[in-house]
Amino acid sequence: MKTTLKIARTELALLFYSPIAWFLLIAFLFQAGLAYTGAIESILTSQDMGGRNLQYLTFLTARTFAPPYGIWPQLVSKLYLYLPLLTMGLMSREINGGTIKLLYSSPIKVREIIFGKYLAMMVYNLALVSVLAIMVICGLFNLQHADAGMLFAGLLGIYLLLCAYAAIGLFMSCLTSYQVVAALSTLVLLAALSYIGQLWQDIDFVRDLAYFLSIEGRADKMLLGLITTKDIIYFLVIIGMFLSFGIYKLQSDRESRPLVLKIGRYMGIVVLALAIGYISSRPGLVGYVDATANKTMTLTAGAQKVLKEMGDKPLEVTSYINLLDGRFYYGKPDQRNTDMARWEPYLRFKPDIQFKYVYFYDSTGDKNLFKYNPGLTLKTLAERYAKSMKINLNRFETPAELRKTIDLRPEENRYVMDLRYNGRSTFLRLFDDQIIFPTETETSAALKRLMQAKMPMIAFVRGESERSIDKLGDRHFKYLANQITFRYSLINQGFDVEQVSLKDQDIPAGITALVIADPKMAFDSASLRKIRQYIADGGNLLIAGEPGKQDIVNPLLKPLGVQLMDGMMVERNKDFSPELVQPYLTAAAAAFTEKLHSDFEDSLVIAMHGAAGLSYTTGGPFTITPLAMTSGTKSWNKKIKPDENMIELAEDQVEPRGFGSAVMIVGDGPAADDAPKAKAKKVAPVVSDPDPDILNFDPAKGDERGPLPAVLGLSRSINGRQQKIVVSGDADFLSNTELARFNIKTCNFDFSTGIFSWFANGEFPIDSSRPPSKDKRVDLTDGGLTLLKVLLMGILPGLLLILGSILLIRRKRK
C-alpha cells in the first residue's frame, strides 16, 4: 500500500508540474462558469419578465443542471475529450523513456504500478469534480430551495464516470509507447463503448451484452437524482476490468506465455465482468436511492400502493406489435431495452414482472394504408415493410396465426400490451398524443383492473336521442367514454361504460353513476319513474341539458331543486361567437382532484358551446354547490325563445349549434369521416326573433347578468352513503369537439375526469400527482449575475492561473 501511495504522489507531482493539467483545469472552470451563468441568466430573464412566464419556472434545479437540457450533459461531453490528454502519458511515458525496465527490475509489483497511477488520476478527477462542486454551491445559494440531493447525486455520477474514463485511458496507455497514439486510441475506445449499445439490439442474446458494455447515458439516472446499485456496480466493474487488462498487459510483457493463455486471461476477465453486471442488474437485486427532494424519480404513492396490493403473484406483460401499425417503431426489436427502461420504475417495486413480445402483421384502423398502396395484398404489403426495415418477416405471425391466440381487431390491431395476473387480463394501450405511452395513471388503472372483479361502471342513457358513446361526431361522447386511442377516455382511466335504454331496461344495480346527456325527446312515464326511483335510492347522477331543452330536462330536475333557466347564456368575446361561454372553476370543483386544484389556481376555464344558466333553491334535501360560474362582467343569460320550427334531429344526426339561420354540414376532417352523414329534415332559424345586436344586455327583455352557475354539484347522505349529483346547463363540454379543442387553454379534460372521480370517491382515476416543486425562483439580481460571471470566469480561473504559474516556475528553477 505504501508503494502504491508513493507512486501516486510521484504521478500527481508529474501531473501538476506539467502545464496541461493546469490548462485543462482552468479551461474547464471557465467553461463550467460560462454554462452555469448562461443557464441562470436564461431563468432570470423569464423571472424578470414576470406574468405568465412565472408559471413555467418549476424544478429549476433540474432545469439548470440535469439532463437533457441542464449543464451536466454539456460539461460531461467536454470531459470526454479532456481525460485522454491526461491519461495518454501514464504508461506510454514509462515505456518510451525506458523507465519501465527499471520498474520491472525493482521490487515493485505490477499491480502496485497500475493502482498507484490510477490513484493519482482519481485525485485529479476530484479536482475536476471540485470545479463542478463550485457550480453546485452557487446553485444552492442562487436557487430558492435548491434540490441538494439531486446535485450531490449528480456529482457522484460524474466522478464515477471520470474514474471509468481514467481506467480506460490507463489501459490504452499500456499498449503503446506513443502518447498521441494512446490518446487517440482512448478516444476511439470511448466512442466504441458509447456506440456499442446501439449495435445488434435486434438479436436477443447479444442485446443485453452490448447494452451492458455501453457507457452512453450510464450516469444519467444519477445526474437526475436516482442512485442505483446497478449503475454503481457497472462503473466499478468497468474500472476493475480495464485495470485488470492493464495489469495483465504489463505482466505479459515480462512473461513468455502461449498466446492462447494470454487471450484466455482477457476473456476470463470479460466473462467475469459480464456475469457480475448481469447478476447485479436483475430487478430483485437492484437497490435504489431517490435523492431528489420531491422523489420525482420514484413512482407516486398511488402507483406504489397498487403494486403492493398485487403481492407476490407474477404479472405477465405481452406486447403485441403490428408491423403495419404506425407505432411499430416504438416496439421494434432494437427498442427492447428502451421499453424495459420504461418499466424499470415498476420493476423496482414488483421485480417478478415477466415480459414477452409478439410480432405480427395485420390491417389497422388507418384507412390510408391500402389507399396509397393500391392492388397490394396484406402479405405483399407486409413484405414491403419488412424489406424496407431490413427485418425478417418470418418472425412475424400472420393474422390467422395470431387469432388462434388472441383477437386484436377490437383494438384496431394496434400496438397494445396484454397484462395477465391471477387468471385475469386487460389491455394497456398506446395513445394518439405526444406522450404516446401510458403514464402512471393509465398503467395503475390497468393493474387495478386485474385485481378488482368489478370496476366503477358509468351507464349512459340512450333512447331519447341522447349523446352517443359510440360515435365520433362533434357532439357525441365517444372520446369521453370509450375511445381506445384517447388517454382520458373513461375506459383508459379505470372505469367501465355501458348504454342503457330505459324504455325496455331497468337501471343496472350497483353502477357508479348514471349519465343523462342532452335528451331531445321527453321521457315516457315509465322511464321517468325509473329515474326518480334511482334518485330516491341514492344513486349518483349526471344530467347535462342544453338551451331549448328546458321542457324536457326540467321535469327531471324539479325534485332536486334545480332548473334550467329560460334562454341561453352568452359571453362577450372578440375571438369567439357569443354562445361560447367560458365559466371558471369554483373552489368546490377544485377539491375533486389535485389537477383541478392546479387548474383552479391557474384560472383555467371550461369551454361550453351553447349553455343554459342554472337556478336553484336551497333548503331542500340536497346541499347544492356551484362547480362552475360564468364571468360577472362579460356574460349574462339572454332570454331567447326557441323557434317552434326548430330543426328536428334524428339520433344519428349532427345538431346545429348556437345562433344562425341554417344548418352547416361539414364533410371533411377526422370526425366527419367517422360520423354518420347528417340529414337535416328542415332548414329553419334557430332563433325566432334574432336580435341584430345580440350582445346588448337588455334587462327589459328579461336578460339576467352573471355570474351564473353553469354546473352545480348536489350531495346528501342517504341509505348510509353519500349521494352525488352533477347538473350542467351544457352537454358540449364533454363532447368530442370540446375535449379536442386547442384554441383555448381549457380544463375540460380535467373537469370531466374530476366529476367521475368524485362519483367514484376518488378511487379512479388513480392519483399520480406530485407535490409542486419548491425551487421556483432565482435569488439573484442582474448586478449579482454580473459579479457571478466575473467570479466564475475571471477571478477563479485567474487564481488557478497564478497558482499554476508559481508552481511551474518554481519547478523550472529547481
Side-chain angles (χ1 to χ4, degrees), residues 145-279:
H145 307 290
D147 194 340
M150 173 188 289
L151 295 177
F152 290 118
L155 290 179
L156 174 62
I158 293 174
Y159 182 68
L160 290 173
L161 184 64
L162 290 177
C163 289
Y165 286 168
I168 295 169
L170 175 57
F171 168 64
M172 299 308 293
S173 182
C174 294
L175 300 179
T176 177
S177 61
Y178 299 100
Q179 295 188 30
V180 175
V181 174
L184 292 176
S185 300
T186 302
L187 287 172
V188 170
L189 183 55
L190 289 175
L193 288 175
S194 298
Y195 185 68
I196 194 173
Q198 303 176 34
L199 299 177
W200 311 300
Q201 291 299 292
D202 56 340
I203 304 174
D204 293 340
F205 175 72
V206 181
R207 180 188 302 112
D208 290 338
L209 300 181
Y211 191 73
F212 171 75
L213 291 174
S214 175
I215 203 170
E216 179 70 20
R218 281 292 177 172
D220 283 358
K221 284 190 177 65
M222 280 186 272
L223 299 185
L224 289 166
L226 181 64
I227 303 172
T228 70
T229 57
K230 177 177 66 175
D231 291 332
I232 293 176
I233 291 174
Y234 168 81
F235 285 116
L236 296 178
V237 167
I238 291 295
I239 292 168
M241 184 171 70
F242 281 98
L243 291 182
S244 300
F245 285 168
I247 292 171
Y248 281 121
K249 172 60 176 67
L250 295 184
Q251 285 182 347
S252 64
D253 291 343
R254 302 175 62 182
E255 301 171 345
S256 178
R257 296 288 181 91
L259 180 61
V260 175
L261 182 59
K262 292 180 180 180
I263 295 176
R265 282 179 171 179
Y266 290 108
M267 293 301 297
I269 294 172
V270 172
V271 171
L272 179 61
L274 292 175
I276 295 174
Y278 178 80
I279 294 172

Side-chain angles (χ1 to χ4, degrees), residues 25-26 28-37 131 133-139 141-142 780 782-801:
L25 270 178
I26 294 169
F28 186 56
L29 176 56
F30 181 85
Q31 291 174 330
L34 180 63
Y36 174 74
T37 55
V131 170
I134 295 174
M135 307 304 132
V136 167
I137 293 172
C138 291
F141 281 99
N142 297 151
L780 199 64
D782 291 337
L785 179 62
T786 301
L787 292 176
L788 188 63
K789 288 182 177 180
V790 172
L791 175 66
L792 296 180
M793 292 184 287
I795 296 176
L796 293 182
L799 291 176
L800 273 182
L801 179 61

Side-chain angles (χ1 to χ4, degrees), residues 627-642:
L627 301 179
M629 298 288 292
T630 62
S631 168
T633 58
K634 58 182 180 180
S635 67
W636 59 90
N637 188 65
K638 193 76 177 175
K639 274 291 182 70
I640 302 174
K641 295 182 179 180

Side-chain angles (χ1 to χ4, degrees), residues 647-659:
I647 298 173
E648 300 176 10
L649 296 163
E651 184 178 0
D652 62 346
Q653 293 171 346
V654 178
E655 183 181 1
R657 295 187 291 186
F659 302 94

Side-chain angles (χ1 to χ4, degrees), residues 27 250 275 280 424 441 469 558 604 627 643 672 716 752 776:
L250 295 184
S280 64
R424 294 181 180 174
T441 300
I469 65 173
K558 187 176 181 180
L604 295 190
L627 301 179
D643 195 294
R716 67 173 175 176
S752 63
K776 299 188 292 185

Side-chain angles (χ1 to χ4, degrees), residues 461-752:
V461 173
R462 63 181 176 87
E464 289 75 28
S465 296
E466 293 90 351
R467 307 291 175 96
S468 171
I469 65 173
D470 293 328
K471 297 178 182 178
L472 287 169
D474 286 356
R475 308 196 75 185
H476 293 295
F477 284 7
K478 186 171 180 62
Y479 273 84
L480 169 72
N482 58 8
Q483 176 65 5
I484 62 173
T485 64
F486 186 56
R487 182 181 304 275
Y488 301 99
S489 282
L490 291 174
I491 60 168
N492 291 322
Q493 296 292 317
F495 295 88
D496 286 331
V497 296
E498 67 174 338
Q499 295 188 94
V500 56
S501 174
L502 299 183
K503 294 178 180 178
D504 48 23
Q505 292 177 268
D506 290 330
I507 298 175
I511 62 173
T512 300
L514 183 71
V515 178
I516 302 174
D518 188 20
K520 298 176 180 63
M521 296 181 291
F523 290 94
D524 59 30
S525 58
S527 299
L528 199 59
R529 186 169 56 254
K530 293 176 182 178
I531 295 172
R532 288 173 176 169
Q533 184 60 48
Y534 174 79
I535 296 173
D537 291 341
N540 296 334
L541 179 66
L542 168 59
I543 301 178
E546 281 283 325
K549 310 293 172 50
Q550 286 88 342
D551 292 342
I552 298 173
V553 177
N554 280 342
L556 294 175
L557 299 177
K558 187 176 181 180
L560 306 178
V562 178
Q563 292 285 277
L564 268 62
M565 300 171 64
D566 292 337
M568 68 183 297
M569 294 190 292
V570 296
E571 182 171 302
R572 182 180 288 109
N573 191 304
K574 64 178 182 179
D575 295 318
F576 302 101
S577 56
E579 70 270 23
L580 181 65
V581 295
Q582 302 173 45
Y584 292 89
L585 295 171
T586 66
F592 285 176
T593 64
E594 287 293 329
K595 191 65 178 69
L596 276 179
H597 180 73
S598 176
D599 294 341
F600 172 72
E601 292 185 337
D602 291 340
S603 300
L604 295 190
V605 298
I606 306 167
M608 292 185 167
H609 201 297
L614 300 175
S615 63
Y616 62 95
T617 57
T618 58
F622 291 94
T623 301
I624 303 178
T625 307
L627 301 179
M629 298 288 292
T630 62
S631 168
T633 58
K634 58 182 180 180
S635 67
W636 59 90
N637 188 65
K638 193 76 177 175
K639 274 291 182 70
I640 302 174
K641 295 182 179 180
D643 195 294
E644 295 179 358
N645 296 320
M646 188 177 252
I647 298 173
E648 300 176 10
L649 296 163
E651 184 178 0
D652 62 346
Q653 293 171 346
V654 178
E655 183 181 1
R657 295 187 291 186
F659 302 94
S661 59
V663 179
M664 177 178 290
I665 305 300
V666 180
D668 294 323
D673 287 342
D674 295 294
K677 298 301 180 182
K679 301 175 183 178
K681 296 182 179 179
K682 181 190 300 183
V683 176
V686 175
V687 181
S688 60
D689 184 20
D691 189 341
D693 195 9
I694 197 69
L695 281 177
N696 284 337
F697 175 70
D698 190 353
K701 293 183 178 181
D703 294 354
E704 185 175 344
R705 176 76 68 181
L708 297 170
V711 184
L712 293 172
L714 292 72
S715 63
R716 67 173 175 176
S717 296
I718 183 172
N719 298 330
R721 61 188 293 269
Q722 192 77 5
Q723 183 180 20
K724 301 166 184 177
I725 297 175
V726 172
V727 179
S728 170
D730 173 63
D732 289 327
F733 82 99
L734 298 171
S735 68
N736 298 330
T737 294
E738 294 305 339
L739 292 183
R741 180 180 288 276
F742 63 89
N743 53 2
I744 307 176
K745 190 172 183 181
T746 70
C747 60
N748 288 50
F749 283 153
D750 305 328
F751 189 52
S752 63

Side-chain angles (χ1 to χ4, degrees), residues 1 3-4 7 91 100 102-117 246-247 250-251 254:
M1 188 63 183
T3 305
T4 300
I7 294 174
M91 290 306 303
I100 189 66
L102 296 176
L103 290 173
Y104 285 160
S105 61
S106 65
I108 299 177
K109 298 178 181 178
V110 171
R111 66 172 178 269
E112 291 175 335
I113 299 172
I114 294 294
F115 290 157
K117 290 182 175 290
I247 292 171
L250 295 184
Q251 285 182 347
R254 302 175 62 182

